[in-house]
Amino acid sequence: MKIGFWCGAVILPLLLGATSAQAQSRLEIANQSHICSFAPDDVLEGEIYSFSSSQQARDMVADIMSTVGLVPRFTIFAANVPNAAAVIDGEERLIVYSEDWIQNTIPNNRWAAVALLGHEIAHHLNGHTLEAGGSRPPTELEADRFAGFAVGKLGGSLEDAQWLFRQLPEAGSDTHPGRKARLEAVAVGWREATGGRVGTPPPSDTPQVRAEPQDAPAAGDWLVIAGSVPHGAPDQASARMQELRALGLPVRVINTDDFDNLKDGLYSIVVATSSRDDAFRALEAVRRHVPDAYVKKGN
Ligand SMILES: [Zn+2]
């Protein structure tokens, strides 16, 4: 299997008649020397077209960003690139990925996709996409380390984090480190995230509890509020609750009508506690995934 990760500094999307993210666009690669991959024979050929990304890919980017407490500021879309790329368009940060490659190469391997997107996101977070010159071994290793970190934070094992990298060729090049160095970088990142735990089941294995926002009972006096949606969107509240539970947060959905101090008409995703101190302790954990979470007295 041929795998290359790309980080391009100058890819300019040429929008064809629309500015919506749903629109299909043609990408013009202005300067090939700013494109980097780690398989030396990977080159971008022909015209590159972008398509709207899947919700799954957008969610994955949000999950990865949550591991560092940041909200995604990227636009992500599918494109006919080898696998994925981090690119800058003016001041906009873009992540492009190949839906075809993901569906055909790693269809049931969520962790491989997290590692791939994590690697590309790291190129943005570390400012690599602002530098000219394309791939260099040190920047590739920085990106690999973050890929391992993201998989570890989201509950994957070291094996999960390294799987994608084991598919790479053993030898490196002027621009790309060899496989062994990359596996090492991933392992270091994974250990930073996990403290080196062994055999801990991923949080996503926690029992799936179906949210019934309409019937959710009033809970403790103090609430850590991790988000709210109007009563018209109970499914959104359930989905958000499931996402946060998968990250290990003991959230539930409440109806704000049941709480004297909350604005009516909302379903809120909360951690309910019985004391103010407990609430602020819980807030620290929640803010790692939801930076704008806050504490409120419910009743
Ligand atoms: Zn890279």
Side-chain angles (χ1 to χ4, degrees):
M1 176 176 16
K2 189 168 84 169
I3 292 183
F5 296 7
W6 298 70
C7 71
V10 186
I11 290 186
L12 308 171
L14 299 179
L15 294 178
L16 300 179
T19 55
S20 156
Q22 300 302 313
Q24 178 187 320
S25 310
R26 183 162 63 86
L27 300 178
E28 181 179 284
I29 300 159
N31 186 340
Q32 287 277 352
S33 74
H34 286 241
I35 305 296
C36 58
S37 74
F38 54 58
D41 54 345
D42 272 354
V43 287
L44 288 183
E45 285 172 346
E47 292 183 331
I48 307 296
Y49 292 91
S50 66
F51 305 85
S52 60
S53 59
S54 68
Q55 184 63 44
Q56 197 184 12
R58 289 194 293 276
D59 289 349
M60 204 170 274
V61 170
D63 284 351
I64 292 166
M65 291 298 285
S66 76
T67 66
V68 283
L70 297 172
V71 176
R73 302 279 183 229
F74 311 120
T75 306
I76 177 164
F77 49 78
N80 54 318
V81 293
N83 41 65
V87 302
I88 293 237
D89 171 33
E91 300 201 336
E92 195 179 10
R93 299 191 288 181
L94 312 177
I95 300 278
V96 295
Y97 71 98
S98 165
E99 193 73 55
D100 175 60
W101 188 87
I102 284 183
Q103 295 299 338
N104 282 300
T105 313
I106 51 171
N108 296 309
N109 191 338
R110 175 174 186 263
W111 296 119
V114 169
L116 175 66
L117 293 177
H119 175 99
E120 299 305 339
I121 285 170
H123 280 309
H124 280 317
L125 296 181
N126 288 314
H128 302 157
T129 42
L130 302 172
E131 299 167 4
S135 269
R136 288 178 293 121
T139 57
E140 290 306 309
L141 290 176
E142 279 177 29
D144 293 344
R145 183 170 167 168
F146 182 73
F149 179 88
V151 171
K153 276 286 179 197
L154 293 175
S157 68
L158 178 58
E159 197 183 3
D160 292 329
Q162 289 181 322
W163 183 89
L164 184 65
F165 298 83
R166 291 195 188 282
Q167 319 308 315
L168 288 165
E170 191 175 349
S173 69
D174 289 349
T175 53
H176 302 93
R179 181 172 61 206
K180 205 163 182 325
R182 307 194 67 168
L183 289 170
E184 186 64 27
V186 173
V188 168
W190 183 86
R191 191 200 60 219
E192 283 169 357
T194 62
R197 67 175 150 70
V198 178
T200 308
S204 53
D205 281 0
T206 46
Q208 296 283 303
V209 180
R210 201 177 137 57
E212 299 290 353
Q214 293 85 343
D215 305 328
D221 285 331
W222 288 87
L223 305 168
V224 179
I225 299 186
S228 299
V229 300
H231 274 175
D235 290 349
Q236 266 183 40
S238 299
R240 186 64 179 141
M241 181 190 75
Q242 299 289 7
E243 276 174 28
L244 293 176
R245 283 188 177 181
L247 293 168
L249 296 176
V251 288
R252 67 170 80 182
V253 174
I254 57 152
N255 184 340
T256 58
D257 293 0
D258 298 336
F259 293 80
D260 299 340
N261 291 341
L262 304 182
K263 188 180 155 207
D264 285 350
L266 300 172
Y267 290 122
S268 289
I269 300 93
V270 305
V271 176
T273 67
S274 52
S275 78
R276 185 176 181 281
D277 286 353
D278 285 351
F280 278 94
R281 265 193 291 276
L283 179 66
E284 277 181 42
V286 175
R287 280 208 168 145
R288 281 199 281 274
H289 301 290
V290 186
D292 57 354
Y294 59 96
V295 167
K296 191 116 175 133
K297 193 168 189 314
N299 286 315

